[in-house]
Amino acid sequence: MKRIRRSAAVLAALALALPLPVAAAGAAVAAPPPAAVAAAPAHAAVRLELPRPTGPYAIGRSTLHLADTSRRDPWVPSAGARELMVSMYYPAHTGSGDGAPAPYMTTEEARLLLEKQKLGRPFPPEILSGTRTHARTTARPLAGKHPLVVLSPGFSLNRATLSLLSEELASRGYVVALVDHAHESFGTSFPGGRTLTCVACDVAESAPTEEDARKVMAKVADGRAADVSFVIDELTGHRRDAGIAGTAGTASPARKFSRIIDARRIGMAGHSIGGNSAAAAMAGDRRIRAGVNMDGTFFSRVPRSGLDGRPFLMLGSKAGHSPGSEDTTWPEDWRKLDGWKRWLTVADAGHFTFIDLPVLGAQAGVSDPSAPLSGKRSGEITRDYVGAFFDQHLRGIHRPVLDGPTAANPEVTFNSP
């Protein structure tokens, strides 16, 4: 079907569903100029590494494959049950677990991501998949009950692109469930040698009208909200609709985490459509006490009744999500939020500022002229503000960085429309 011309607000969310370069700042743009790619060091000299987390704890990581047999896959019904891949990050005992760091992503996942972002030729997938992490597989979890934060990536992006934030939160004492949603990324590896691609992207791209495209994106957000409730069920052993007495299936591979999760302190954050999903999940599941939307359009709208007074952080680029920008869902849904809330925008940021890509791209000499905020600052701002939000609202630790502008973060504006 012939592609239609959409408004910038819709393109901002659909851009990740299309084969665009990493330099895209949330809108359909041309590939980066050759000079940007040519500035990258020789492949043999490139060794990408996630920034070292700032928290006091070592980090463990485990991978779960979950299937919700109560729902069929919304994009490929013939596939059967809705499938999820979940990377579990948790505070761990120093020195425990395997000696090597956990892998960042598979080479095939990296190949598909780079290919769709038009970076396959100058940037071999082995460079991205070989990114050094700080988590260790099979590391022994710290005893005690820790807050749980669920993370959902941007549309078309593999969950690994939120690894920096996952490691940071785990180092501070959180259990983190980083979720990949089947058929909603350019490539996610599943058991049995399967790598599922983005069927939902094809559906969104082929939508005949802008309104149809919005409905597709709302379907994505609402489906992810259901995914998150299922993940919480599995991790805590308690079903949302059965109250504290109801138990999830004891055979679930996720059940082992229930002993280190405090089910009374659960939050969610996400990038792009994952951020919209955080609000959608809170609207349908009161167990989620706090949420963060990182640069995501609210295709699935915040209810008129609000979120029952629960706190919510909106963190976005200044160009795309300041008051008066083209994405009208932010001011409209801001007014519906009825608890503690902040609307923060970041100068010189792009749509990808809040994930790993600009941090890793800077190490390889790849930059985006339309989003000149450095990769280092991109990671620091995301880490500091999202971490502070959950510290304050899940751990009860007051974080002054959330009170107003600071000299240490001149790029960040507090909006009060």
Side-chain angles (χ1 to χ4, degrees):
M1 181 176 295
K2 184 177 180 180
R3 186 177 300 176
I4 63 169
R5 180 176 181 85
R6 306 191 195 283
S7 72
V10 177
L11 282 171
L14 292 184
L16 295 182
L18 306 175
L20 297 177
V22 170
V29 298
V37 175
H43 298 153
V46 176
R47 177 64 188 274
L48 304 182
E49 180 177 3
L50 293 176
R52 184 169 296 278
T54 66
Y57 301 112
I59 307 163
R61 199 187 82 183
S62 179
T63 302
L64 300 173
H65 171 230
L66 302 179
D68 185 355
T69 57
S70 70
R71 296 185 296 143
R72 299 186 73 83
D73 185 276
W75 311 110
V76 185
S78 61
R82 174 66 158 169
E83 290 185 276
L84 307 168
M85 294 300 298
V86 185
S87 294
M88 296 298 303
Y89 293 81
Y90 52 89
H93 288 274
T94 301
S96 65
D98 297 339
Y104 185 69
M105 60 168 52
T106 69
T107 301
E108 179 64 6
E109 289 171 335
R111 183 189 70 78
L112 289 167
L113 175 60
L114 293 169
E115 179 183 276
K116 294 296 186 180
Q117 298 296 335
K118 305 290 189 186
L119 284 175
R121 181 177 300 175
F123 204 94
E126 292 81 7
I127 299 296
L128 180 58
S129 64
T131 297
R132 186 181 185 278
T133 69
H134 301 281
R136 297 294 189 273
T137 58
T138 71
R140 185 159 53 93
L142 285 180
K145 295 285 190 177
H146 309 282
L148 169 66
V149 175
V150 183
L151 298 180
S152 182
F155 193 39
S156 83
L157 293 178
N158 185 282
R159 68 188 186 280
T161 57
L162 287 174
S163 295
L164 184 159
L165 181 57
S166 298
E167 290 195 344
E168 175 65 25
L169 291 173
S171 80
R172 296 186 181 202
Y174 295 86
V175 175
V176 178
L178 174 55
V179 184
D180 248 333
H181 313 262
H183 302 293
E184 294 179 12
S185 77
F186 286 143
T188 297
S189 298
F190 279 78
R194 297 174 296 149
T195 299
L196 303 184
T197 56
C198 195
V199 177
C201 297
D202 297 334
V203 175
E205 184 179 1
S206 63
T209 68
E210 180 178 315
E211 182 60 29
D212 289 328
R214 288 181 176 275
K215 289 178 180 178
V216 171
M217 300 307 292
K219 178 181 176 179
V220 173
D222 292 338
R224 291 192 180 193
D227 292 342
V228 169
S229 287
F230 168 71
V231 169
I232 294 172
D233 287 347
E234 296 294 286
L235 291 175
T236 64
H238 296 100
R239 296 197 184 282
R240 171 185 53 169
D241 56 0
I244 199 67
T247 58
T250 56
S252 169
R255 185 66 190 276
K256 64 183 179 181
F257 289 97
S258 63
R259 68 180 183 273
I260 63 169
I261 290 174
D262 184 348
R264 300 167 300 175
R265 294 185 293 167
I266 298 174
M268 183 183 172
H271 169 243
S272 195
I273 198 65
N276 184 191
S277 302
M282 289 181 70
D285 193 332
R286 290 185 55 84
R287 295 175 298 180
I288 305 172
R289 290 182 49 187
V292 181
N293 178 358
M294 297 184 290
D295 215 57
T297 296
F298 289 98
F299 288 105
S300 179
R301 307 308 296 269
V302 172
R304 292 184 181 277
S305 58
L307 296 176
D308 303 309
R310 287 168 289 169
F312 200 84
L313 170 65
M314 293 159 45
L315 176 64
S317 67
K318 182 176 181 180
H321 284 115
S322 293
S325 62
E326 189 162 354
D327 186 353
T328 60
T329 67
W330 274 44
E332 291 169 359
D333 283 14
W334 166 260
R335 291 191 288 270
K336 302 174 189 174
L337 297 173
D338 56 345
W340 183 102
K341 59 184 178 179
R342 293 291 185 273
W343 178 347
L344 309 183
T345 50
V346 183
D348 294 332
H351 189 55
F352 287 171
T353 287
F354 310 97
I355 62 175
D356 297 359
L357 295 184
V359 179
L360 300 178
Q363 295 175 27
V366 178
S367 61
D368 175 12
S370 70
L373 185 70
S374 73
K376 182 176 183 291
R377 285 300 290 151
S378 295
E380 290 171 347
I381 289 170
T382 302
R383 173 197 75 194
D384 293 348
Y385 282 92
V386 176
F389 173 81
F390 286 123
D391 281 351
Q392 184 157 312
H393 295 291
L394 295 184
R395 305 176 74 96
I397 303 171
H398 176 241
R399 296 301 190 195
V401 73
L402 298 173
D403 292 342
T406 63
N409 297 289
E411 308 93 338
V412 180
T413 297
F414 283 66
N415 300 285
S416 300

